[in-house]
Structures are given as structure tokens and as C-alpha cells.
Amino acid sequence: MQITKTISETREALATSGSHKKIGFVPTMGALHKGHLSLVEKCHLESDFTVVSIYLNPAQFGPQEDLNRYPRNLERDIDLLRSYDADLIFTPDDVQMYPEGYCTWVKVEGLSDILCGASRPGHFRGVATIVLKLIHIINPNLMFMGMKDYQQIIVLEKMIQDLNLETKIVRCPIIRESDGLAISSRNAYLGPEERQRATCLINALKTAQKMVNDGCLDSKILISEAENIIRESDGKIDYIKIVDSSTLQELAEVKSNAKMLLAVYIGNTRLIDNIELLS
Ligand code: PAF
């Protein structure tokens, strides 16, 4: 396993060992958990050369957000990736990615301003910019991403389409704890009592899914029931929406391809999750 810190080392490593191979890429911000590792496993199965980036991208955090307390443990991450047989780990620093005078940004308009983008202005501009830079450096055939960050996938797929990139995103299932909580690096912020309350997200989503299976298609009724479940657990709702899963446009009535997406604060921790309501 090779570890590179600079863009030129990374390009050289890929030219030497990765050429003529199907390159699979897992972008991460470190603090690796079972969700990331499932992406690495899938990447390994579906490509010939597995590249993982570890970069805590400051550009996707707002000034009041959790960049400073975001969990970091590079040595542990590297050990884990070694045991998962990654071929190359790219761990750049801020000077590599945003040298002094850096001023070029990518914004996927519209899709970046709704849902999580409405409460986190600039977030998806930061995500699109760093992912485009990483794609240019690594040139992967496949990029593996988890569906917990569903809007992120839709934004990046649109960027890939609009900019005629050849990388294909492989959508990977949400990995959950045994009680259903979607695995996220931010779960580490939850105290024991908050951790218990955090199951309200999956309970709300599953309840809505069951109501749809039982014949209720009215988004207002479904959202109101989900809101009750979150409030019973003292969660603070950022948003709960029912959307078309390709366009992210809100649906007044559930139809095929509909998803419920939500963002909820448990204490000070903002968690997101989603579920398919009708396939
Ligand atoms: O999903 C994440 O961890 C980040 O948004 C990503 C894709 C690594 C970009 O920094």
C-alpha cells in the first residue's frame, strides 16, 4: 500500500502502478467507520486498483460548523485501510488542495441550494470543488459513495454529467447500527442519552414507509407523522421532505421513485438520513 501526500506523488504513483487498470476511488474526510470500510470493500471487488483519499475539506464547512471538532485519527485510518488492502491512500494538506491565492469554485446550481444546501450555504460548492479536483488528480473509472449523503450523490452526478467527466458514481447502501441509526462520523458527538434518542430518525422514516405500504400517499400526512416521532424524542427538525429521487423536487403525493429525506438535530448534532418510500 502506498501513501502519498502531494498531487505530483499521487499522479506518479498512479502512472506507475495504476495504468491500464480499472481505478476505483473512495473519497473520505477520515475518521473512518464501517460505512467507509464497506465502500472500500465494494471498491476492491469492482475495480483493479483502490484509491482512498483522506482530506478534511474546510471548504465544505460553514463558519459556525464543526470543522474544528470533526474527529481526526490519521494513523488509525491508515491501519484500517491497510487491513482492507487499499492500494493507494492520498492524504493531502490544505496547502496542496487550496494553495495561497486559490480562487476557483464549482457550483451545481439549484440542486446545491435546497434541502441540506438551504441550511448549509456553500456546503455543496465546497463538496463539488474538492471532488472535481480529486477526480482530476486520480482519474478514477468508478467512485464509490454512500447513499446516506443522498443529495451529495445527486449534486455530484449532475456535475459529472454537465462537465462531461468519465467517472461513474457507484451508489452504495446506507450502513446502519443494529438499532437502525445510519453510521456517520458525527455519531461520535452523541452522548449516551442522545444516542438512544437518535433512533427517532430511522423510526420516522420506517413509519412513513409503512404508511405508504398501507396506502397513504399524501406527503403532508406522512411528513406530519414523521415530525411527531422526531419531536417525541426531542429532536429539532431542520427539514423533512418527500422528493423525487432523481430531481430532488418536492412531491405533494408519493409516486414511484419517491424518497423521504430528513435532517434533524439531536442536541447539537445534526444528523441526516433517508429512505425509499416507493420504488
Ligand atoms: O462525504 C464526504 O465524506 C465528503 O463530502 C467528501 C465526498 C469526501 C468530500 O469532501
Side-chain angles (χ1 to χ4, degrees):
M1 184 178 82
Q2 264 181 292
I3 302 171
T4 55
K5 288 185 181 310
T6 67
I7 294 167
S8 57
E9 274 171 357
T10 309
R11 288 203 161 121
E12 211 176 291
L14 282 161
T16 318
S17 328
S19 65
H20 309 302
K21 292 187 177 155
K22 189 198 241 186
I23 295 178
F25 174 43
V26 182
T28 82
M29 298 202 296
L32 302 184
H33 51 59
K34 282 187 267 177
H36 296 114
L37 296 171
S38 75
L39 302 178
V40 177
E41 242 168 10
K42 196 162 166 60
C43 181
H44 221 304
L45 284 175
E46 295 190 16
S47 35
D48 308 318
F49 195 83
T50 295
V51 184
V52 180
S53 64
I54 299 178
Y55 178 60
L56 188 50
N57 174 33
Q60 68 188 76
F61 289 79
Q64 310 304 327
E65 290 184 356
D66 56 343
L67 175 63
N68 290 332
R69 68 166 184 150
Y70 199 86
R72 297 161 210 238
N73 198 337
L74 186 57
E75 278 184 16
R76 178 182 164 275
D77 290 346
I78 290 174
D79 284 347
L80 277 170
L81 290 173
R82 191 169 282 115
S83 69
Y84 275 74
D85 284 336
D87 295 295
L88 175 64
I89 308 180
F90 178 39
T91 64
D93 62 14
D94 292 344
V95 178
Q96 280 293 307
M97 299 318 283
Y98 301 108
E100 212 184 311
Y102 186 90
C103 58
T104 303
W105 302 99
V106 183
K107 182 168 178 214
V108 179
E109 292 189 353
L111 287 173
S112 296
D113 303 317
I114 55 175
L115 303 166
C116 287
S119 35
R120 303 187 68 191
H123 169 68
F124 288 112
R125 180 183 92 138
V127 171
T129 302
I130 198 65
V131 172
L132 181 62
K133 283 169 73 77
L134 291 167
I135 288 177
H136 273 307
I137 296 162
I138 292 157
N139 206 9
N141 301 86
L142 301 175
M143 181 163 72
F144 294 80
M145 308 201 89
M147 290 212 283
K148 180 178 72 68
D149 297 288
Y150 188 73
Q151 185 178 5
Q152 169 167 277
I153 290 185
I154 297 296
V155 167
L156 294 174
E157 283 179 346
K158 187 75 177 110
M159 176 187 81
I160 285 173
Q161 181 192 14
D162 286 355
L163 298 181
N164 310 106
L165 306 178
E166 289 186 340
T167 301
K168 180 180 177 301
I169 294 185
V170 181
R171 297 178 177 199
C172 301
I174 300 175
I175 304 297
R176 298 183 180 280
E177 300 289 3
S178 55
D179 61 5
L181 178 67
I183 293 184
S184 157
S185 307
R186 292 188 168 95
N187 294 353
Y189 303 151
L190 299 168
E193 180 263 344
E194 290 175 338
R195 170 63 188 80
Q196 281 191 349
R197 287 198 282 124
T199 52
C200 66
L201 277 80
I202 186 64
N203 293 341
L205 293 170
K206 283 240 166 96
T207 300
Q209 191 186 50
K210 180 167 183 313
M211 287 169 74
V212 171
N213 283 340
D214 293 344
C216 174
L217 300 179
D218 185 325
S219 294
K220 265 198 191 139
I221 298 176
L222 295 162
I223 290 171
S224 149
E225 188 53 33
E227 283 172 348
N228 290 339
I229 293 172
I230 300 292
R231 291 200 180 110
E232 272 163 25
S233 289
D234 247 349
K236 199 176 121 230
I237 296 164
D238 178 355
Y239 67 79
I240 302 181
K241 304 268 188 210
I242 293 177
V243 301
D244 176 283
S245 56
S246 312
T247 62
L248 300 184
Q249 290 312 301
E250 284 180 52
L251 298 172
E253 187 155 290
V254 172
K255 59 178 179 66
S256 65
N257 219 14
K259 265 186 186 289
M260 178 177 269
L261 268 56
L262 49 74
V264 167
Y265 285 89
I266 302 293
N268 292 325
T269 306
R270 186 174 180 278
L271 300 174
I272 57 172
D273 202 348
N274 65 82
I275 205 163
E276 187 176 81
L277 291 177
L278 205 57
S279 56

